Amino acid sequence: MKKDTLQRFLFDEAPVRGALVRLDDSWREINARHDYPPVLRDRLGELAAAGILLAANLKFDGQLILQIQGQGALRLLVVEVNAATRTLRATARWDGELPADADLATLTGQGQCVITLDPKQAGAEPYQGIVALEGGSVASLLTHYMERSEQLDTLIMLAADGDCAAGMLLQKLPGSSGDEDDWPRARELAATLKQEELLTLSADDILYRLFHQEVIRAFDAESVAFQCSCSRERVGGMLRMIGRDEVESILSEQGSVEIACEFCQQKYVFDEDDAAELFAGPQDPVSYTHLTLPTICSV
């Protein structure tokens, strides 16, 4: 069974496309860096699988960022996907006890999902969409987003546990016509897939199990991997962004500035000599997300 793969496919005789993702080693690598309660871990895994699925149809060099923000016990889920390299990283924050059987809306309280497309092309502006937490699950809220905001008939199915995160996306091709029964039939067949099958069957087995009576064209499977984009250089840029006065204030109190990446837990330490070197040259503007000083940031 192939692991850590994205498998895209197309119906040859119906205006429908789809993708299957399975995260094994990459998902376990994310988990190994944190001690998440199972209910939070599984929601983060679903969001990670969804991020790869949504990035599968993006034709740009940049990042897709999914953030679920809440005011309940679950404070934040974040998944960042590099659309070009099929790499991802993920993290979460929570506060207090998380009910084991609670749905997403209960865990977050008053919350929302923010979807950001951040292209790397010069002059290109990021796009951001905000989604209400409808339906009580990661799959349902993203399905609602695709149908309402992107005007695409979509089915998203997700599953995750401690060892694997997986998902399937099915969409009616934009601007297509075809037989009016094509999309309802494909959706009905896909909806019979169980979460256990998502987590245990290969992409080939799932496609045969669901669509053996259809003509399916499967593209070459693409590898997916965990990769954190943090580095000492990026942390240095972040420190320059917050300014010399703030950094010197931390140095006077603690003797050094210690930054830990919230995604991979890599620690970076800057002493007085390091800080002096940082502010010796020209200061380039840099933007970062999930910044908390003096001990934790995401870069």
Side-chain angles (χ1 to χ4, degrees):
M1 181 185 300
K2 294 180 180 178
K3 296 184 176 182
D4 294 283
T5 55
L6 170 69
Q7 176 72 68
R8 295 184 297 121
F9 59 91
L10 192 67
F11 284 58
D12 270 348
E13 298 177 354
V16 179
R17 67 184 177 190
L20 285 158
V21 66
R22 180 183 177 90
L23 307 177
D24 295 279
D25 293 342
S26 55
W27 175 232
R28 287 191 288 270
E29 196 163 352
I30 291 170
N31 279 325
R33 289 166 164 77
H34 306 275
D35 185 20
Y36 293 133
V39 65
L40 182 146
R41 175 203 66 201
D42 294 351
R43 301 297 81 76
L44 184 62
E46 291 169 358
L47 195 67
I52 295 293
L53 290 172
L54 294 181
N57 294 318
L58 295 178
K59 296 178 175 62
F60 83 123
D61 182 13
Q63 281 190 321
L64 167 70
I65 304 170
L66 301 179
Q67 298 183 67
I68 293 178
Q69 304 165 347
Q71 299 179 14
L74 195 164
R75 298 294 185 177
L76 183 69
L77 302 178
V78 183
V79 171
E80 296 183 5
V81 178
N82 185 309
T85 62
R86 304 299 193 217
T87 55
L88 79 160
R89 63 180 190 169
T91 191
R93 296 177 190 164
W94 75 102
D95 183 19
E97 294 295 324
L98 296 172
D101 57 350
D103 64 12
L104 189 63
T106 301
L107 291 171
T108 55
Q110 298 294 320
Q112 62 184 13
C113 177
V114 181
I115 300 174
T116 304
L117 297 179
D118 188 7
K120 291 183 178 179
Q121 292 89 338
E125 294 293 327
Y127 162 82
Q128 192 169 85
I130 298 177
V131 190
L133 298 185
E134 299 182 72
S137 71
V138 175
S140 61
L141 76 88
L142 292 176
T143 296
H144 289 152
Y145 168 77
M146 297 304 296
E147 292 179 341
R148 296 181 185 181
S149 299
E150 302 299 319
Q151 302 296 305
L152 290 174
D153 290 321
T154 301
L155 174 68
I156 298 175
M157 305 182 72
L158 304 168
D161 58 20
D163 294 318
C164 179
M168 180 174 68
L169 177 145
L170 204 68
Q171 284 183 330
K172 183 178 179 181
L173 288 171
S176 61
S177 53
D179 191 311
E180 64 180 12
D181 293 329
D182 286 340
W183 169 248
R185 183 179 71 255
R187 183 185 177 101
E188 183 176 344
L189 290 170
T192 65
L193 185 65
K194 299 178 176 61
Q195 286 194 335
E196 181 182 355
E197 293 173 318
L198 260 178
L199 293 172
T200 58
L201 297 181
S202 68
D204 289 342
D205 289 342
I206 290 174
L207 289 177
Y208 181 80
R209 146 89 170 78
L210 297 177
F211 307 122
H212 61 275
Q213 294 183 327
E214 309 293 325
V215 182
I216 299 293
R217 187 193 325 167
F219 299 95
D220 291 340
E222 303 174 54
S223 296
V224 181
F226 166 80
Q227 184 178 71
C228 191
S229 58
C230 74
S231 67
R232 187 173 181 84
E233 180 182 8
R234 286 173 62 85
V235 173
M238 181 205 68
L239 293 177
R240 287 194 297 270
M241 182 184 69
I242 68 170
R244 182 191 298 268
D245 291 344
E246 179 69 17
V247 171
E248 289 181 348
S249 175
I250 297 171
L251 287 170
S252 65
E253 292 179 5
Q254 302 184 18
S256 64
V257 181
E258 181 175 308
I259 308 294
C261 175
E262 199 166 355
F263 288 90
C264 71
Q265 303 299 304
Q266 175 68 44
K267 292 184 179 180
Y268 300 91
V269 179
F270 291 77
D271 59 20
E272 291 184 0
D273 291 339
D274 297 324
E277 184 177 348
L278 282 176
F279 294 104
Q283 309 303 302
D284 297 324
V286 186
S287 62
Y288 297 90
T289 57
H290 318 310
L291 172 63
T292 305
L293 282 176
T295 56
I296 297 177
C297 73
S298 298
V299 291

